[in-house]
Amino acid sequence: MIETTEELVDDMSTDEASGLICDDSVADLGEAADWVGLSAGEPEHFVGDYWEKQAVLDPQWSINLEGLPEGLSPGSTYPGDVFYRETDEGLCVIDIAWSTLVDVG
């Protein structure tokens, strides 16, 4: 899953169409610049208690994204978590949760 997520980040940061997106995906993919500087975190089995919005989409896995795109300021949003569904063809992205950069100073 880490390799799949790295492939997704590479595709999205170069503005290439990714073959990893589910046909019925509801993911907001953003712009290529939103993905530059991100990398795969640690995958986890999906837990619907925390991700209620995504639970209805039937993902089996989630993975956080690490790093921040350049030029973000407090209030900016960026892709934070990716949700995957398992299919006969492999994993596909069903949704992406966006995070908001907060000012902790």
Side-chain angles (χ1 to χ4, degrees):
M1 176 164 319
I2 291 173
E3 287 179 20
T4 300
T5 304
E6 292 293 345
E7 179 183 339
L8 174 70
V9 169
D10 287 346
D11 289 350
M12 300 308 300
S13 65
T14 57
D15 211 16
E16 290 184 28
S18 179
L20 296 171
I21 310 301
C22 299
D23 291 339
D24 60 341
S25 177
V26 299
D28 173 2
L29 302 175
E31 304 292 328
D34 297 328
W35 294 84
V36 175
L38 299 179
S39 62
E42 291 298 320
E44 298 180 2
H45 285 283
F46 178 76
V47 178
D49 293 343
Y50 183 77
W51 300 104
E52 293 177 18
K53 177 182 170 192
Q54 286 76 22
V56 299
L57 303 172
D58 193 31
Q60 284 81 39
W61 295 95
S62 65
I63 188 168
N64 65 307
L65 297 172
E66 298 178 346
L68 291 173
E70 289 186 26
L72 290 187
S73 58
S76 298
T77 59
Y78 58 95
D81 293 88
V82 179
F83 301 90
Y84 289 100
R85 182 185 294 158
E86 294 179 12
T87 69
D88 292 339
E89 293 81 32
L91 295 171
C92 67
V93 176
I94 191 63
D95 200 10
I96 297 168
W98 286 68
S99 298
T100 302
L101 184 64
V102 295
D103 186 1
V104 293

